[in-house]
Amino acid sequence: MHFEKMVEMGFMGKRWPAAKSRYELYEKKNKEDFTNFYDTYHEVMKLREEYLQGVNNGTYFSINLDGSTSSDSTPEILIRKRIKEFFISGRQLLNNFGKSGLLEDGDFKVSSFLLYKESEVEKYIKTFSENFRYKQGHLKIIDIAKKAQVDFKKDFMQLRADIEHDYDTEIPKFKISAYNGEAVVEEPTYNGTNFFILIDKYYHGTLNLIEDMAAYFYGVNACANTDGKITLFFRKDEVDPPRFRFRYAITLDVGDPSLQRLINPRRA
């Protein structure tokens, strides 16, 4: 969902001006973070596809009559630079999102748990959770962040630190050879997984994490501030953002079978 729509549907009463102001400030200052992350991801994938095609059609790899081979690995240099930019932009996106104040309500602050170790997150919960305005829903948001830490964020951050320190060593290279007169490409791997599959996982994981947390934050507010008439749903059927069919919906509960209710008034 779009943040602007989430903020509007949160029905945050007296807190609305502050919530709207934070959104407008974030939109002005940090929209570039999303753009950079989006652009570097798609450029990495585009460069990878072009390089693979170039190897297979003889542009970057050829087999001579005597069986020897010739190759041009120049495209790899650009691919590796863009991969480094991808990891840096992803870290910057999460960091700035956490500090933006978009998902902040009293003692509940995403900046206090999004990029911290589990022990520090548990300490934060123990110290402040009793003061959370909507404890059940706010703890759910923390759980989302903790699950993301296990699913991808810990590995993403560690790999980002390694790559930023020495990307030429930490980003593995393509291996190209000839077999029966044809080019054979072995793509770079990290701990046995195709590097580009990992990038795809980190890209979608990062954006889904931000959307998951934001949807629950504003969904909890909407449910609490409308006595459950408007609440958060998950779309069970096809998602189509260009047609405004997002993964989540904050809307009236009209018994739509395509929507799964996620927050009940008693648990807001």
Side-chain angles (χ1 to χ4, degrees), residues 8-75:
E8 289 177 359
M9 296 302 292
F11 291 94
M12 299 177 73
K14 294 180 180 179
R15 292 172 291 141
W16 161 250
K20 184 178 181 181
S21 177
R22 281 198 296 266
Y23 166 74
E24 290 173 345
L25 181 62
Y26 182 82
E27 175 76 7
K28 180 179 179 180
K29 292 179 59 179
N30 301 106
K31 187 174 182 179
E32 187 176 340
D33 295 333
F34 281 95
T35 301
N36 289 341
F37 191 54
Y38 176 91
D39 287 347
T40 53
Y41 164 77
H42 285 280
E43 185 169 7
V44 165
M45 294 305 184
K46 178 174 177 288
L47 290 170
R48 169 209 187 191
E49 186 62 29
E50 290 175 349
Y51 186 46
L52 293 177
Q53 290 178 358
V55 168
N56 289 323
N57 65 26
T59 302
Y60 300 121
F61 183 83
S62 59
I63 304 172
N64 304 317
L65 293 176
D66 62 1
S68 63
T69 61
S70 302
S71 62
D72 177 7
S73 60
T74 303

Side-chain angles (χ1 to χ4, degrees), residues 158-178:
Q158 182 59 57
L159 190 50
R160 181 220 44 98
D162 294 342
I163 288 174
E164 192 168 358
H165 176 70
D166 185 2
Y167 80 92
D168 190 53
T169 299
E170 297 300 333
I171 301 176
K173 294 180 170 64
F174 287 81
K175 295 180 181 179
I176 305 172
S177 59

Side-chain angles (χ1 to χ4, degrees), residues 55-98:
V55 168
N56 289 323
N57 65 26
T59 302
Y60 300 121
F61 183 83
S62 59
I63 304 172
N64 304 317
L65 293 176
D66 62 1
S68 63
T69 61
S70 302
S71 62
D72 177 7
S73 60
T74 303
E76 275 202 70
I77 298 174
L78 182 56
I79 292 173
R80 292 156 68 79
K81 286 183 178 179
R82 292 295 180 265
I83 287 176
K84 178 181 179 180
E85 292 171 3
F86 168 80
F87 279 90
I88 292 174
S89 65
R91 172 64 169 80
Q92 185 176 33
L93 170 60
L94 285 172
N95 182 63
N96 290 343
F97 179 80

Side-chain angles (χ1 to χ4, degrees), residues 72 111 114 120-121 171 178 218 238:
D72 177 7
S111 59
L114 181 57
E120 295 171 315
V121 174
I171 301 176
Y218 293 111
E238 182 182 1

Side-chain angles (χ1 to χ4, degrees), residues 50-267:
E50 290 175 349
Y51 186 46
L52 293 177
Q53 290 178 358
V55 168
N56 289 323
N57 65 26
T59 302
Y60 300 121
F61 183 83
S62 59
I63 304 172
N64 304 317
L65 293 176
D66 62 1
S68 63
T69 61
S70 302
S71 62
D72 177 7
S73 60
T74 303
E76 275 202 70
I77 298 174
L78 182 56
I79 292 173
R80 292 156 68 79
K81 286 183 178 179
R82 292 295 180 265
I83 287 176
K84 178 181 179 180
E85 292 171 3
F86 168 80
F87 279 90
I88 292 174
S89 65
R91 172 64 169 80
Q92 185 176 33
L93 170 60
L94 285 172
N95 182 63
N96 290 343
F97 179 80
K99 292 180 177 180
S100 68
L102 270 178
L103 310 187
E104 191 172 298
D105 188 358
D107 287 322
F108 178 78
K109 304 178 189 296
V110 166
S111 59
S112 297
F113 61 83
L114 181 57
L115 296 179
Y116 286 85
K117 296 179 180 178
E118 185 175 355
S119 59
E120 295 171 315
V121 174
E122 294 302 328
K123 182 179 179 181
Y124 166 70
I125 294 172
K126 184 177 180 180
T127 304
F128 294 104
S129 63
E130 289 302 322
N131 298 326
F132 290 172
R133 189 186 303 271
Y134 307 121
K135 183 176 179 180
Q136 189 81 25
H138 288 160
L139 288 177
K140 170 64 178 178
I141 296 170
I142 295 177
D143 285 342
I144 289 171
K146 288 166 64 176
K147 184 176 185 302
Q149 178 75 0
V150 175
D151 290 347
F152 79 92
K153 192 154 58 67
K154 182 179 179 180
D155 292 341
F156 174 80
M157 292 300 175
Q158 182 59 57
L159 190 50
R160 181 220 44 98
D162 294 342
I163 288 174
E164 192 168 358
H165 176 70
D166 185 2
Y167 80 92
D168 190 53
T169 299
E170 297 300 333
I171 301 176
K173 294 180 170 64
F174 287 81
K175 295 180 181 179
I176 305 172
S177 59
Y179 182 76
N180 288 341
E182 295 184 357
V184 177
V185 181
E186 184 179 337
E187 294 194 68
T189 61
Y190 182 82
N191 288 339
T193 302
N194 182 296
F195 209 82
F196 297 96
I197 291 177
L198 284 177
I199 288 175
D200 188 70
K201 174 183 177 180
Y202 297 150
Y203 172 76
H204 288 98
T206 297
L207 295 183
N208 286 342
L209 168 61
I210 290 173
E211 184 182 24
D212 291 344
M213 292 191 301
Y216 265 90
F217 179 80
Y218 293 111
V220 162
N221 275 277
C223 186
N225 294 324
T226 63
D227 294 326
K229 296 181 179 65
I230 293 177
T231 190
L232 178 66
F233 298 86
F234 184 82
R235 189 173 300 282
K236 295 187 289 185
D237 59 2
E238 182 182 1
V239 174
D240 188 358
R243 294 171 53 206
F244 301 100
R245 295 176 63 84
F246 302 105
R247 292 194 305 138
Y248 292 100
I250 300 176
T251 186
L252 286 166
D253 190 354
V254 293
D256 186 339
S258 69
L259 298 177
Q260 175 187 347
R261 186 177 182 129
L262 296 179
I263 300 175
N264 294 319
R266 296 184 302 278
R267 292 185 285 146

